Amino acid sequence: MAVNQTAQKILIVAQKNLQQKGFNGFSYRDLAQEIGIKTSSIHYYFPTKDDLALALVTAYHEAFKIELAKISSEDGTRLHLERYAKLFEDNLAVDNKFCLCGMLASEVNSLSDRVKQAIQRFFTDNELWLSQLIADGQSNGSFKTINSPDLVAAQLLATFEGAMLIARSAEKDSVLKFRLVVQGAIESLC
Amino acid sequence: MAVNQTAQKILIVAQKNLQQKGFNGFSYRDLAQEIGIKTSSIHYYFPTKDDLALALVTAYHEAFKIELAKISSEDGTRLHLERYAKLFEDNLAVDNKFCLCGMLASEVNSLSDRVKQAIQRFFTDNELWLSQLIADGQSNGSFKTINSPDLVAAQLLATFEGAMLIARSAEKDSVLKFRLVVQGAIESLC
DNA sequence: GTCTATAACTCGATAGAC
DNA sequence: GTCTATCGAGTTATAGAC
């Protein structure tokens, strides 16, 4: 797990570039210039751009898992959903970034199978977590929706991803627009 | 309005490429080879890639307006919403394409201001149309939601765009997955 | 590990013949 | 209107010096 310091810098800058401009929207040169190293150094750690993409999805997914576990360990049901939405909002709030996996999902036809599968795992993991949350909320009376937890989960994830996508294109007050849609979606469950 | 035959071919092939691979995911060379002409011929009709993108958004938006008018002229309220969702589903059904404006929205940081604004107009137009539909449905009792039509409209558009994005990455049964989420979203309004 | 240098190719775009 | 030819710059990626 202990990753080299340069590799870390690369991952951080690459993540930002990917979430802002997409997989086909940045180059090794962009990263190298921003970090202050040469492109060959990036290739040393991530031989191909596909390797870099996979590392980014993996790291993003892992970080997400940790946050989800944190949320689950706390009290509240509706609050969980709001904290969950906040994870996405944070991307938007700093540099108007899109969800890393949402971005790659839009470029799915330019990606290798292994990256594609890593994105699918991110989405299914999120739907699974949300589904469990919905089921719990239905049990304890927090959510009044009678639809199947799986369906509501898929709906929520779609709404959140779509809300980011559209809010981001508005550019101005994108966080506010995202928050409105999210609050509306949560409201209609309670 | 009468557009040259070659220009038409370019627009058709470019639209497919854009919806499949994104603005940064295809080149003039790709289009030229698929059509059977030279890249310089494309530059003759669309001097820059930005010109091409703007033409594509404009054409896509115009086609959408015509379809929305058709739907509005028919009977039904909930049915309108289902026909509306079908417009998006049709993209998914053939070659697993994403919404053209959804795709460009993800790449918003690589686009010129005029293209960005054209995308924003597409989204606001859609939200306006949906908002009117929701308001009508609330009046005639088709929709039981008491939220503001504007909010519900923004929510629906986000859900549909996000559902396309995620379903597309699943690749298998993507239409089915999209349909499930859409039906769930419509259901919860009635 | 990081660099220089470079290969091999693709990109958007333009000039000018036909 | 479509072509050939080409420019200048960008792309991913690698070989080899230090």
Side-chain angles (χ1 to χ4, degrees):
Chain A
M1 260 300 97
V3 187
N4 178 284
Q5 209 168 5
T6 304
Q8 275 294 356
K9 277 190 210 166
I10 295 168
L11 285 172
I12 290 168
V13 174
Q15 179 179 352
K16 192 191 74 180
N17 273 265
L18 177 56
Q19 292 188 245
Q20 282 183 328
K21 299 180 286 184
F23 183 73
N24 292 322
F26 76 92
S27 69
Y28 272 38
R29 194 197 193 200
D30 296 329
L31 306 183
Q33 284 181 343
E34 195 170 335
I35 300 170
I37 56 176
K38 299 295 169 180
T39 60
S40 49
S41 294
I42 306 180
H43 280 289
Y44 174 78
Y45 293 102
F46 306 99
T48 71
K49 210 179 172 184
D50 187 69
D51 293 323
L52 179 57
L54 186 64
L56 288 170
V57 176
T58 305
Y60 187 77
H61 193 166
E62 287 302 319
F64 230 85
K65 276 184 191 165
I66 292 172
E67 294 301 322
L68 293 186
K70 266 192 215 165
I71 296 174
S72 293
S73 73
E74 293 167 3
D75 281 340
T77 303
R78 179 187 167 143
L79 194 61
H80 282 195
L81 206 45
E82 279 161 0
R83 296 234 171 118
Y84 176 82
K86 182 74 158 53
L87 295 180
F88 289 122
E89 186 187 307
D90 288 343
N91 285 313
L92 218 54
V94 181
D95 306 322
N96 213 35
K97 297 192 299 289
F98 190 20
C99 167
L100 188 138
C101 290
M103 182 65 88
L104 287 176
S106 76
E107 300 177 289
V108 80
N109 286 325
S110 308
L111 304 176
S112 68
D113 282 343
R114 60 181 192 154
V115 174
K116 217 180 298 185
Q117 283 156 15
I119 300 166
Q120 288 165 8
R121 281 195 297 272
F122 174 81
F123 287 139
T124 52
D125 252 32
N126 273 267
E127 286 176 357
L128 220 75
W129 187 88
L130 282 169
S131 182
Q132 187 59 55
L133 179 66
I134 300 300
D136 291 347
Q138 285 175 334
S139 296
N140 67 27
S142 297
F143 300 136
K144 69 169 203 290
T145 175
I146 53 163
N147 285 335
S148 91
D150 281 2
L151 177 58
V152 178
Q155 235 174 279
L156 280 173
L157 185 61
T159 305
F160 292 175
E161 289 285 347
M164 293 193 77
L165 183 75
I166 295 171
R168 217 169 72 95
S169 83
E171 204 162 9
K172 202 182 160 190
D173 297 325
S174 65
V175 171
L176 195 73
K177 173 140 211 247
F178 174 77
R179 227 178 260 172
L180 271 172
V181 171
V182 163
Q183 282 307 319
I186 296 176
E187 209 68 60
S188 59
L189 290 180
C190 303
Chain B
M1 261 300 102
V3 187
N4 178 286
Q5 208 169 8
T6 303
Q8 275 294 354
K9 278 190 209 167
I10 295 168
L11 285 171
I12 291 168
V13 174
Q15 181 180 351
K16 192 191 74 179
N17 273 265
L18 177 56
Q19 292 188 245
Q20 282 183 328
K21 299 181 286 184
F23 183 73
N24 291 323
F26 76 92
S27 69
Y28 272 39
R29 196 197 192 200
D30 295 329
L31 307 184
Q33 284 180 343
E34 196 169 334
I35 301 170
I37 56 176
K38 300 295 168 181
T39 61
S40 48
S41 294
I42 305 180
H43 280 290
Y44 174 77
Y45 293 103
F46 307 98
T48 70
K49 209 179 174 184
D50 187 70
D51 294 323
L52 179 58
L54 186 63
L56 287 170
V57 176
T58 306
Y60 187 77
H61 193 166
E62 287 303 319
F64 230 85
K65 276 183 191 165
I66 291 173
E67 294 301 321
L68 293 185
K70 266 192 215 167
I71 296 174
S72 293
S73 73
E74 292 167 4
D75 282 339
T77 303
R78 181 188 166 143
L79 194 62
H80 283 196
L81 207 46
E82 279 160 359
R83 296 234 172 116
Y84 176 80
K86 182 73 159 54
L87 296 180
F88 289 122
E89 187 188 306
D90 288 343
N91 285 313
L92 218 53
V94 182
D95 305 323
N96 213 34
K97 297 192 298 292
F98 190 20
C99 167
L100 188 139
C101 290
M103 182 64 88
L104 287 176
S106 76
E107 299 177 289
V108 80
N109 286 325
S110 308
L111 303 176
S112 68
D113 282 343
R114 59 181 193 155
V115 173
K116 217 179 298 185
Q117 284 156 14
I119 299 166
Q120 287 166 8
R121 281 196 296 273
F122 175 82
F123 286 139
T124 52
D125 251 31
N126 273 268
E127 287 176 357
L128 220 74
W129 186 88
L130 282 168
S131 182
Q132 187 58 54
L133 179 66
I134 301 299
D136 291 346
Q138 285 176 332
S139 296
N140 67 27
S142 297
F143 299 135
K144 69 169 203 291
T145 174
I146 53 165
N147 285 334
S148 91
D150 281 2
L151 176 58
V152 178
Q155 236 174 279
L156 280 174
L157 185 60
T159 305
F160 292 174
E161 289 285 347
M164 294 194 76
L165 183 75
I166 295 171
R168 216 169 71 96
S169 82
E171 203 162 9
K172 204 183 156 187
D173 297 326
S174 65
V175 171
L176 195 73
K177 174 143 210 243
F178 174 76
R179 227 178 261 172
L180 270 172
V181 172
V182 163
Q183 281 307 318
I186 296 177
E187 208 69 59
S188 60
L189 291 179
C190 301

